Amino acid sequence: MIGIQLMLLAGVFVALSNFFMRKSIDAGGTTKGFLMVQLFVVFLVAILLNPVRMGNYEWSGCMSLFGIAGGVVLALMMASLGRALETGPAGLTFASFSSATVMPSVVMVLIFGIAFGYHYTIWNGLGSILVVLGLFWAGWQTNNSQQKRTWTSFVTAAFLLHVLFLVFLSWKALFVNYPGENGLFLSFDMDDARNQWFMPMIFFAAFIIQAIIYGTNEKRWLKKGETLYGVLGGIANGVGTFFMIRATEVSTSFEHAMIYPIFSVSIIVLCNIWGQWLYREKVNWKATALCLIGIFIGTINWKALV
């Protein structure tokens, strides 16, 4: 169950990053400034956790370009999420965004199937449905104002881009587990698939795009709060993303279907904890429990109990 354990750790660090985003907004900053600083720091963290940690600085042009493509998706996703947070209810925004994590397994099963280790049973499906219901239930109570068309557009875009990004990471993981056998558009050998510059290039590309967005819209120097919390959020997000990518690479076929829902629910639970503790927010713990039940149903090996 290494994949599940790594995904839980990823959820802890990403929830911490979300907390720093909230603190940055409280300090009078914007999500554009926070995200620009965060993505640059994550880029540096990714270098430390990948080529430096592994002692492998070999460059792969193909895998770097592949990472840049993922960075474009990531930048658009984070920009859409940031605008959704600025224009609508935070709880419902995070719930809608996080619910996208149940989709990659479905997409990967439809595209690649059992041949590449992807299984999806009726129990996985039922568990995923309960997770989605719980996530939306948890976020809906914070919706105290009328939904705006702007918020709906941005949160929908963030949802779809989140699905695309997670599918992209799962697809990349196939090149590690099945080198040279993936005939869908691209094929990498083992050395290219394990190249350590893939993750740094994702965040480098995302940083460049976010810097352009910030410079075009804000046209001001960063505030101290944006810089401080952006750095802290970048470190937390970098470590969390590293664990998430590693989880996709080492998870078994049994874990594939539910590692993203586990990631999602862990973030919701932890964000609810700090929201209630520090901001006195009302938390729907019944909805959170529904998410946990969904994970239990979706991950337990029922055949082993028969």
Side-chain angles (χ1 to χ4, degrees):
M1 305 294 275
I2 295 178
I4 290 178
Q5 294 171 359
L6 288 174
M7 201 57 93
L8 284 172
L9 285 174
V12 171
F13 282 98
V14 173
L16 184 61
S17 176
N18 289 342
F19 170 71
F20 290 132
M21 181 184 292
R22 172 68 178 268
K23 293 293 292 182
S24 177
I25 295 175
D26 291 343
T30 65
T31 57
K32 297 181 184 68
F34 172 87
L35 290 173
M36 181 179 68
V37 176
Q38 181 194 56
L39 288 169
F40 178 72
V41 173
V42 175
F43 164 63
L44 298 179
V45 172
I47 293 177
L48 293 175
L49 290 178
N50 288 270
V52 174
R53 182 180 67 90
M54 300 301 295
N56 182 359
Y57 301 93
E58 184 177 356
W59 182 262
S60 170
C62 291
M63 189 54 70
S64 297
L65 289 175
F66 199 53
I68 290 174
V72 173
V73 177
L74 175 63
L76 296 176
M77 178 189 79
M78 297 304 292
S80 298
L81 176 63
R83 289 291 291 132
L85 287 172
E86 292 176 350
T87 58
L92 187 56
T93 297
F94 277 118
S96 302
F97 180 74
S98 298
S99 67
T101 57
V102 302
M103 296 302 297
S105 294
V106 178
V107 176
M108 295 301 286
V109 167
L110 292 175
I111 296 176
F112 296 101
I114 298 177
F116 289 95
Y118 286 93
H119 303 270
Y120 208 81
T121 68
I122 188 174
W123 297 109
N124 298 137
L126 178 59
S128 297
I129 290 173
L130 292 178
V131 168
V132 171
L133 291 175
L135 288 172
F136 276 101
W137 186 11
W140 190 262
Q141 67 174 11
T142 63
N143 183 25
N144 296 321
S145 60
Q146 185 177 0
Q147 294 289 322
K148 295 181 180 180
R149 182 176 301 176
T150 301
W151 176 84
T152 302
S153 299
F154 280 115
V155 80
T156 300
F159 174 89
L160 295 175
L161 289 166
H162 196 190
V163 173
L164 179 60
F165 182 68
L166 294 177
V167 169
F168 180 84
L169 294 182
S170 295
W171 183 28
K172 188 270 178 182
L174 287 182
F175 298 128
V176 175
N177 297 321
Y178 300 91
E181 298 181 18
N182 183 353
L184 185 64
F185 306 123
L186 293 173
S187 179
F188 294 102
D189 59 28
M190 180 63 76
D191 292 335
D192 273 336
R194 294 186 180 277
N195 187 269
Q196 298 301 311
W197 288 102
F198 169 74
M199 184 174 168
M201 292 309 296
I202 285 180
F203 293 107
F204 177 74
F207 160 70
I208 294 298
I209 294 175
Q210 188 61 43
I212 294 173
I213 293 174
Y214 176 80
T216 302
N217 291 274
E218 297 290 336
K219 297 179 181 180
R220 62 174 175 81
W221 293 105
L222 289 168
K223 296 181 179 180
K224 292 182 179 179
E226 289 173 317
T227 303
L228 172 62
Y229 292 116
V231 170
L232 295 175
I235 294 173
N237 191 275
V239 175
T241 303
F242 171 78
F243 283 133
M244 181 178 68
I245 291 177
R246 284 295 296 153
T248 65
E249 295 176 346
V250 303
S251 60
T252 65
S253 59
F254 175 73
E255 295 174 295
H256 278 320
M258 292 299 289
I259 56 175
Y260 286 127
I262 286 174
F263 175 66
S264 175
V265 170
S266 63
I267 292 174
I268 292 296
V269 170
L270 292 172
C271 287
N272 281 344
I273 289 175
W274 62 251
Q276 179 175 318
W277 182 32
L278 297 177
Y279 292 93
R280 299 295 187 267
E281 294 179 352
K282 294 182 179 180
V283 176
N284 190 338
W285 289 109
K286 292 181 179 180
T288 303
L290 182 62
C291 294
L292 298 177
I293 293 173
I295 290 177
F296 176 79
I297 292 176
T299 57
I300 193 170
N301 187 352
W302 294 100
K303 291 184 178 179
L305 299 179
V306 177

